[in-house]
Amino acid sequence: MSGPNDSSGANGGGKGGQRLPGRNRRRFEGISSRAYEHPADRSALVALRKLSGFDTVFKALSGLLPERSLRLLFLSDSVRVSDQQFAHLNDMLRDACYILDLPKVPPMYVTQDPRPNAMCIGLDEPIIVVTTGLVELLDEEEMRAVVGHEVGHALSGHAVYRTILLFLTNLALRVAWIPLGNLAIMAIVTALREWFRKSELSADRAGLLVGQDLQASMRGLMKIAGGNHLHEMNVDAFLKQAEEYEESGDLRDSVLKILNVLPRSHPFTTVRAAELKKWAASRDHQRIMDGHYPRRGEDKDTSVYDSFKESASHYAETVKTSKDPLMKLLSDIGSGAGDIGGRLRDRFTGTPGSGPDSPGRPPKDSQDPPPES
């Protein structure tokens, strides 16, 4: 039997019928989702929860979307996870809800789709959906992290983002004929997508808290990126890709990175892996594992100002420490570095040494005076 703060991992089948032994995992009784949420995600959620009439408004919004229709669709045309169907997934789901102390276990469905994917939808009563492509791709421990990821979405209430995004996207299509109306709505949608991408980083952390196996989380992300070819892949090399992605190119590449990520709901896979590894090594993660974390009972006393301040501080630190050319330029500007024009020229062309104070070019004061006429 497990102790009060432990959860026995259920045995089950992964890819190729692989069965891994269960083990004890720490349980986080009464944990608040604020414990694992990314600062930008947390600040947005805290603000939304503080809004008067928040629940009423978004329940009304959800009624305008095909959420009820989706529930009926999955019930009628997918397989509901239970003790009789996909029992090993059912064990993982109950185990994940126990570890994160989610009061009610959400329904979970497996739907036929070769693309590996999972999602959590619904405001009042969230449901979790995983595709057959994902179930067939991941082994026991990798799948456990994914189930924990979706339970993290449910605990945080991230379906709010999805609901607003769907509503505003539909609205944008209807008002496209109004001058500037579509632009205004799409500006909000762009901001919501940024929050949503950060919510995925939050859910990755929840998946790690449930699985409590960083290597399994890394393997799962690698498989989502490159398929079931682990013998051909390497975690360190995969993480090196994220580092190269951040550092590579000049300002033109920085702009292309922004344009590439704007329409996406998820961060790039290598970036997710690097972010999760960084968080796993952080003091915040260690404190949670040691049993020191915010409780749900304290959520109502959370300061919106403090949450936004923490988010702003995080972004400032990100700009300061980033190796991306654009972020480094912004850091230089913020620190009052001289010769911004030269730095901008160097980083946009990727040819260091063209600025007036660049190595190999004599300073202005040391140049010979022009010849007299």
Side-chain angles (χ1 to χ4, degrees):
M1 293 291 291
S2 301
N5 290 319
D6 293 317
S7 172
S8 296
N11 292 331
K15 177 70 175 175
Q18 181 182 9
R19 298 181 70 85
L20 301 175
R23 61 183 176 85
N24 289 336
R25 292 174 174 81
R26 184 172 186 86
R27 185 191 185 211
F28 307 101
E29 188 173 359
I31 190 171
S32 168
S33 59
R34 291 181 292 114
Y36 59 80
E37 285 164 352
H38 184 279
D41 176 32
R42 181 165 57 242
S43 64
L45 287 172
V46 168
L48 288 173
R49 290 165 186 154
K50 292 285 186 178
L51 289 177
S52 178
F54 167 81
D55 291 339
T56 303
V57 171
F58 289 108
K59 285 176 185 176
L61 281 179
S62 66
L64 300 175
L65 297 167
E67 184 178 305
R68 189 177 298 272
S69 175
L70 286 174
R71 290 177 183 276
L72 292 173
L73 178 63
F74 290 124
L75 182 62
S76 63
D77 205 31
S78 300
V79 176
R80 183 161 59 189
V81 171
S82 66
D83 287 332
Q84 293 79 39
Q85 302 185 119
F86 290 100
H88 73 289
L89 292 181
N90 194 46
D91 288 339
M92 286 185 204
L93 176 61
R94 289 186 298 187
D95 198 43
C97 292
Y98 178 75
I99 289 173
L100 293 181
D101 200 11
L102 189 68
K104 185 178 180 181
V105 179
M108 183 175 178
Y109 293 90
V110 176
T111 189
Q112 173 64 31
D113 189 337
R115 295 169 298 181
N117 196 15
M119 62 179 173
C120 178
I121 61 173
L123 290 177
D124 288 333
E125 298 179 3
I127 64 173
I128 294 172
V129 182
V130 297
T131 65
T132 51
L134 190 68
V135 174
E136 293 165 3
L137 178 65
L138 304 183
D139 71 18
E140 171 90 8
E141 296 302 300
E142 295 157 8
M143 193 68 198
R144 188 183 301 278
V146 169
V147 173
H149 175 110
E150 299 306 325
V151 170
H153 276 314
L155 182 59
S156 287
H158 284 148
V160 169
Y161 291 148
R162 191 183 300 273
T163 299
I164 305 173
L165 273 172
L166 287 172
F167 176 78
L168 289 178
T169 302
N170 291 338
L171 183 61
L173 294 175
R174 295 178 184 179
V175 301
W177 59 274
I178 302 176
L180 301 181
N182 186 49
L183 288 177
I185 292 175
M186 291 313 297
I188 301 174
V189 168
T190 299
L192 283 168
R193 280 180 180 152
E194 168 64 8
W195 280 339
F196 198 86
R197 287 190 292 269
K198 293 300 184 285
S199 79
E200 289 300 322
L201 299 180
S202 299
D204 283 344
R205 297 174 179 183
L208 179 59
L209 292 179
V210 167
Q212 297 174 28
D213 185 341
L214 179 61
Q215 290 304 309
S217 294
M218 294 289 108
R219 292 198 310 269
L221 289 169
M222 280 202 310
K223 283 185 176 181
I224 290 172
N228 191 23
H229 303 282
L230 278 180
H231 62 289
E232 298 284 357
M233 295 186 281
N234 177 276
V235 172
D236 291 335
F238 187 66
L239 292 171
K240 181 68 175 176
Q241 289 180 227
E243 186 177 338
E244 289 183 22
Y245 172 77
E246 182 183 10
E247 296 178 359
S248 64
D250 51 39
L251 287 182
R252 292 168 295 186
D253 295 290
S254 296
V255 173
L256 289 174
K257 292 176 191 176
I258 295 172
L259 293 176
N260 285 340
V261 80
L262 280 180
R264 293 175 59 93
S265 61
H266 288 57
F268 293 116
T269 316
T270 57
V271 175
R272 289 173 63 184
E275 287 283 342
L276 185 60
K277 187 173 187 295
K278 180 180 177 181
W279 186 73
S282 70
R283 184 170 177 267
D284 289 341
H285 175 252
Q286 188 57 54
R287 282 181 57 81
I288 295 174
M289 297 305 297
D290 290 340
H292 305 295
Y293 51 80
R295 262 65 174 182
R296 262 168 254 163
E298 305 163 354
D299 285 349
K300 63 181 183 300
D301 301 321
T302 306
S303 167
V304 176
Y305 172 78
D306 289 343
S307 297
F308 274 104
K309 184 177 179 181
E310 183 180 359
S311 177
S313 176
H314 170 81
Y315 275 114
E317 183 65 20
T318 298
V319 171
K320 182 178 178 181
T321 59
S322 175
K323 298 177 182 179
D324 178 82
L326 178 58
M327 295 298 103
K328 290 172 72 175
L329 177 64
L330 292 176
S331 180
D332 286 347
I333 294 173
S335 62
D339 188 29
I340 294 301
R343 291 173 184 269
L344 179 61
R345 181 170 56 251
D346 292 349
R347 291 183 184 166
F348 204 93
T349 60
T351 54
S354 60
D357 295 327
S358 302
R361 178 169 180 172
K364 292 179 181 179
D365 293 342
S366 65
Q367 295 182 23
D368 293 331
E372 295 181 3
S373 56

